[in-house]
């Protein structure tokens, strides 16, 4: 295994007008690691993901994927470098079938690799068959293969969240960013989701950065946790260290949820 972090940020920051939404953010994640990013509402967690996926360009600092500096790349180029994400608010093609939601993510990377001119050639159709099988395999991991032809919006909420993760996995990523994947889930769905996250990490050997609002949830699955509040890192370390940190306790008690 390489000793270069899959993901590294150095003094990463962004200003919105006068507001430093993320300030001096430093993280290193190795292959196979599961790291938590937590903090109260409005702390800057999603903004970190938007920086790490090229949605926003940082106003300060650098981002490295497997040692390569990727500042200034476009979102699809971040995907090509191996970053995949899910969104805090589910973003599926609601009227499309479950399997097409996954296939379209695979297709994006194929088009990127083959170029538009090769569309509908034999090579493309061979790829299309391969994509179909790959999508089915991904759905199987989440027990969604029997629902491949369902319209996405007809899935129960917890399964829509899983479908979003399956879709993110279709892009052959090195690191997966999950933005509050358990939001809105009931306890049974949450427990299943945590199993799925562990399964993904073990099966794909990828790195995962998990945003969660609920501290107790990340404590169970993450090896390391970074806590941010008002855009600044207030603690990082093992779950046990972080949960006993007075600044972290104050940040959480300071909010009304
Ligand atoms: N595009 C933007 N323009 C201006 N301000 C923004 C923008 N995006 C985020 N912010 C601000 O940056 C801060 C951090 O927001 P962010 O969504 O990253 O928080 P969060 O930690 O994900 O919160 P939550 O737990 O509610 O999801 C907030 O004050 C937010 O209003
Ligand atoms: Mg958020």
């Amino acid at each position: 295994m390489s000793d270069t972090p899959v993901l590294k940020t150095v003094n990463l920051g962004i200003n919105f007008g006068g507001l430093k939404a993320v300030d001096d953010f430093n993280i290193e994640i190795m292959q196979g690691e599961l790291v938590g990013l937590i903090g109260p509402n409005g702390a800057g967690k999603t903004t970190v993901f938007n920086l790490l996926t090229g949605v926003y360009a940082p106003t300060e600092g650098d981002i490295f994927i497997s040692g390569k500096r990727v500042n200034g790349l476009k979102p699809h180029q971040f995907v090509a470098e191996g970053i995949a994400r899910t969104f805090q608010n589910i973003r599926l093609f609601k009227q499309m079938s479950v399997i097409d939601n996954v296939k379209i993510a695979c297709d994006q990377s194929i088009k990127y690799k083959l170029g538009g001119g090769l569309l509908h050639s034999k090579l493309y159709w061979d790829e299309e068959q391969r994509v179909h099988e790959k999508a089915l395999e991904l759905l199987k991991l989440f027990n969604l293969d029997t629902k491949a032809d369902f319209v996405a919006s007809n899935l129960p909420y917890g399964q829509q969240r899983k479908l979003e993760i399956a879709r993110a996995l279709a892009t052959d990523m090195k690191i997966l960013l999950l933005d509050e994947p358990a939001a809105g889930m009931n306890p049974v769905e949450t427990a299943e989701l945590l199993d799925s996250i562990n399964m993904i990490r073990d099966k794909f050997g990828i790195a995962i950065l998990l945003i969660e609002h609920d501290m107790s949830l990340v404590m169970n699955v993450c090896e390391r946790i970074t806590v941010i509040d008002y855009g600044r890192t207030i603690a990082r370390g093992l779950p046990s260290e972080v949960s006993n940190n007075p600044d972290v306790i104050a940040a959480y008690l300071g909010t009304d949820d």
Side-chain angles (χ1 to χ4, degrees):
M1 201 190 280
S2 159
D3 55 8
T4 307
V6 188
L7 178 73
K8 178 178 175 178
T9 67
V10 181
N11 307 130
L12 192 64
I14 188 165
N15 272 307
F16 294 119
L19 175 80
K20 280 194 166 174
V22 173
D23 191 18
D24 206 13
F25 182 78
N26 294 282
I27 201 165
E28 283 191 17
I29 305 180
M30 307 302 291
Q31 188 191 342
E33 267 197 304
L34 208 170
V35 176
L37 177 61
I38 67 172
N41 282 125
K45 306 181 294 296
T46 298
T47 304
V48 168
F49 274 20
N50 285 333
L51 289 167
L52 295 179
T53 52
V55 174
Y56 300 141
T59 46
E60 285 149 80
D62 292 304
I63 305 168
F64 300 90
I65 300 175
S66 299
K68 179 178 171 184
R69 186 172 174 273
V70 292
N71 294 45
L73 295 189
K74 302 223 155 44
H76 72 273
Q77 294 171 310
F78 272 81
V79 174
E81 293 296 335
I83 287 234
R85 81 180 288 184
T86 63
F87 293 89
Q88 189 163 357
N89 302 309
I90 294 177
R91 288 194 195 174
L92 292 170
F93 296 103
K94 290 190 187 307
Q95 297 312 317
M96 278 171 50
S97 71
V98 166
I99 193 160
D100 281 349
N101 266 280
V102 180
K103 284 173 73 176
I104 211 161
C106 302
D107 274 345
Q108 298 299 329
S109 29
I110 291 175
K111 277 181 196 143
Y112 191 76
K113 281 181 206 139
L114 296 183
L118 286 168
L119 285 184
H120 305 300
S121 65
K122 172 153 186 343
L123 184 58
Y124 181 80
W125 289 113
D126 288 350
E127 276 292 303
E128 195 44 43
Q129 182 57 32
R130 197 184 61 79
V131 160
H132 186 85
E133 279 155 23
K134 181 179 168 185
L136 259 186
E137 264 174 44
L138 285 169
L139 290 177
K140 210 175 252 172
L141 292 177
F142 296 92
N143 295 322
L144 288 173
D145 50 315
T146 54
K147 300 189 170 173
D149 297 323
F150 282 36
V151 172
S153 60
N154 288 345
L155 291 182
Y157 181 78
Q159 292 181 5
Q160 290 191 29
R161 283 256 171 221
K162 286 185 177 177
L163 175 56
E164 241 209 332
I165 299 174
R167 189 177 59 175
L169 291 171
T171 60
D172 295 327
M173 74 285 105
K174 298 178 198 159
I175 178 155
L176 178 62
L177 310 177
L178 299 172
D179 195 345
E180 300 203 32
M185 283 189 173
N186 65 40
V188 175
E189 290 172 329
T190 303
E192 276 180 25
L193 178 82
L194 293 183
D195 285 346
S196 299
I197 291 172
N198 277 321
M199 175 274 292
I200 292 163
R201 193 257 300 262
D202 294 344
K203 184 170 170 62
F204 293 83
I206 54 168
I208 299 177
L209 181 59
L210 171 66
I211 290 184
E212 253 309 324
H213 187 69
D214 177 352
M215 195 154 61
S216 58
L217 205 115
V218 274
M219 292 297 161
N220 291 321
V221 286
C222 295
E223 287 128 17
R224 291 188 294 122
I225 294 175
T226 288
V227 191
I228 58 175
D229 193 17
Y230 296 106
R232 295 198 65 95
T233 302
I234 58 168
R236 63 163 80 88
L238 301 173
S240 55
E241 294 165 352
V242 161
S243 59
N244 292 319
N245 182 305
D247 292 338
V248 176
I249 294 166
Y252 270 82
L253 291 181
T255 62
D256 33 22
D257 45 6

